[in-house]
Amino acid sequence: MPSEPPSIPIANPDLGREEQQRVADVLDSGMLADGPTVRAFEGEFAEYCGVDHGVATSNGTTALHTAFEALGLGTGDRILTTPFSFISSANTIRLCGAEPVFADIDPETYNLDPEAVIDTIEAYDGDVDAILAVHLYGLPADVERLRTIADTYDALLIEDAAQAHGAMVNGDRVGGVGDAACFSFYPTKNMTTGEGGMVLTDEQAVADAAARFVNHGRAESGYAHVELGHNFRLTSIGAAIGRAQLEKLPDYIEARRANAARLNDGLADLPVTTPYEPDDRTHVYHQYTIRTTARDALIEQLDARNIGSGIYYPTAIHDQPAYDGYAVEAPVAETATEEVLSLPVHPSVNEDDIDRIVDALTEFF
Ligand SMILES: Cc1ncc(COP(=O)(O)O)c(C=O)c1O
């Protein structure tokens, strides 16, 4: 009987000796919670992204929540975002007391469409306090235009870079265009700390407010809790893993981009839409996402060949039950939810795996 082909998972965190050694060092130190390892990781990640300050958090969701609070956003404020993202992007807006409003996406980049952003802000008579731009799948949103729009309407710009560590716009890494940027280090992301996240900002006052918020509103020194806050702190164990992962991130990005290029070549003649990378942006392929109207049947074919795939996202955020009552016009996002399919592109996918994926799609079509 022929043996089953090995599975090609949709995600596969790469953890090795370096991470083990750094975690062992933390265990030896006895400082498991906040401490110097977290400070070091904050500094190293911020420097890598070209941003002045980093505040580590317990995950990407708490990074977003912290950024909103640190920027003074909350009850009575409107934050515009995309309905085509992980639900965390919008949930955190509500969790800080603000109102999410949704603008449609661009069909090629899957990110906020600047024209739709302007129309949506105008529909609220210009009364939108912030824009949360998600760099979906690892492709930067059009942050330069979004910055201009935000400035025009006197709104803040926040980057949800949970999927885009190291992605670039005109040679600059994401994280520095917004008033703050938020990252996730969940295990399926392009680098991990287990659970973890980070807020980046060039503003000292925002960084200080974020550092207080993740630590029960506690002032930098002493035992005074000067405002309300949470425990949203990252552990030193997570930070230790993150420091090792950050050293490997450039190689991870190179491997993802090489795999994406091979997939692009292999799928070029098939009736699927492959990812779009505008000339001014560097995609880091957190997901390699194609579009096809034959999605369900294709997934069956991939399943039968032990090839993982994923739908990010099958439902627009405003169509989730928790968003009943949010009136949103986002036909481009809604169509995308019916057609997108992500294929394995992570660094442990090798050339034989790519051949298997391409063969499966070629046979299918
Ligand atoms: C776009 C986006 N925003 C926010 C998050 C939230 O990150 P976390 O899962 O670490 O809370 C994620 C991660 O899943 C994400 O993909």
Side-chain angles (χ1 to χ4, degrees):
M1 223 171 75
S3 61
E4 286 242 312
S7 116
I8 310 174
I10 186 68
N12 189 17
D14 169 61
L15 298 162
R17 291 259 169 257
E18 301 81 359
E19 287 80 2
Q20 286 173 10
Q21 187 53 54
R22 290 203 186 232
V23 169
D25 292 345
V26 167
L27 297 181
D28 287 342
S29 79
M31 292 201 67
L32 306 188
D34 194 40
T37 308
V38 179
R39 294 294 88 70
F41 179 49
E42 290 172 334
E44 286 160 6
F45 189 73
E47 187 181 354
Y48 171 78
C49 297
V51 182
D52 287 345
H53 310 284
V55 176
T57 59
S58 49
N59 54 61
T61 303
T62 53
L64 285 164
H65 192 155
T66 300
F68 297 147
E69 296 279 351
L71 289 165
L73 292 162
T75 309
D77 292 325
R78 277 197 190 108
I79 305 179
L80 181 151
T81 194
T82 164
F84 194 55
S85 179
F86 183 55
I87 198 158
S88 172
S89 307
N91 276 356
T92 48
I93 295 174
R94 291 172 66 188
L95 286 168
C96 81
E99 178 195 354
V101 296
F102 298 99
D104 211 349
I105 59 166
D106 175 283
E108 286 186 308
T109 64
Y110 304 108
N111 286 322
L112 275 175
D113 171 1
E115 297 305 321
V117 170
I118 294 173
D119 291 348
T120 306
I121 297 178
E122 284 294 333
Y124 286 95
D125 294 327
D127 188 10
V128 163
D129 301 284
I131 299 171
L132 174 67
V134 180
H135 305 311
L136 199 74
Y137 303 147
L139 175 68
D142 191 349
V143 274
E144 288 180 350
R145 283 203 63 204
L146 293 172
R147 178 81 263 179
T148 305
I149 296 168
D151 291 347
T152 304
Y153 290 97
D154 201 18
L156 296 164
L157 177 67
I158 299 121
E159 298 174 62
D160 180 343
Q163 305 186 359
H165 322 70
M168 290 192 279
V169 182
N170 286 324
D172 290 329
R173 298 212 167 95
V174 297
V177 182
D179 297 284
C182 302
F183 291 80
S184 163
F185 303 117
Y186 188 73
T188 56
K189 297 293 193 278
N190 287 19
M191 60 173 281
T192 187
T193 60
E195 292 276 10
M198 191 145 352
V199 179
L200 298 186
T201 179
D202 283 325
E203 294 291 327
Q204 182 74 58
V206 176
D208 290 347
R212 285 194 302 274
F213 187 71
V214 302
N215 195 24
H216 287 296
R218 187 166 165 179
E220 202 183 325
S221 55
Y223 212 93
H225 294 262
V226 294
E227 57 210 18
L228 272 182
H230 272 282
N231 173 359
F232 282 173
R233 297 183 302 258
L234 181 66
T235 65
S236 292
I237 297 172
I241 298 170
R243 295 182 75 189
Q245 289 269 296
L246 181 57
E247 285 178 2
K248 301 179 189 175
L249 182 62
D251 290 343
Y252 291 158
I253 293 173
E254 202 179 308
R256 284 177 182 272
R257 287 183 56 78
N259 282 340
R262 284 191 198 104
L263 284 166
N264 284 343
D265 282 349
L267 305 180
D269 296 328
L270 302 185
V272 297
T273 308
T274 52
Y276 171 57
E277 183 182 38
D279 287 343
D280 61 347
R281 288 174 243 178
T282 306
H283 202 319
V284 291
Y285 294 99
H286 169 58
Q287 299 295 348
Y288 180 94
T289 302
I290 60 166
R291 247 179 126 124
T292 167
T293 49
R295 184 171 72 186
D296 291 349
L298 176 58
I299 292 171
E300 270 180 37
Q301 165 97 334
L302 293 169
D303 282 350
R305 288 165 177 246
N306 240 338
I307 297 170
S309 61
I311 302 174
Y312 310 106
Y313 296 88
T315 309
I317 293 177
H318 60 275
D319 286 330
Q320 290 283 0
Y323 283 76
D324 261 4
Y326 284 80
V328 177
E329 274 217 25
V332 181
E334 285 164 17
T335 306
T337 65
E338 289 161 14
E339 297 179 355
V340 291
L341 184 66
S342 298
L343 303 172
V345 72
H346 50 82
S348 47
V349 172
N350 61 34
E351 287 186 35
D352 290 343
D353 296 332
I354 300 276
D355 289 345
R356 261 176 66 196
I357 298 167
V358 169
D359 286 349
L361 269 89
T362 306
E363 246 178 60
F364 177 79
F365 286 105

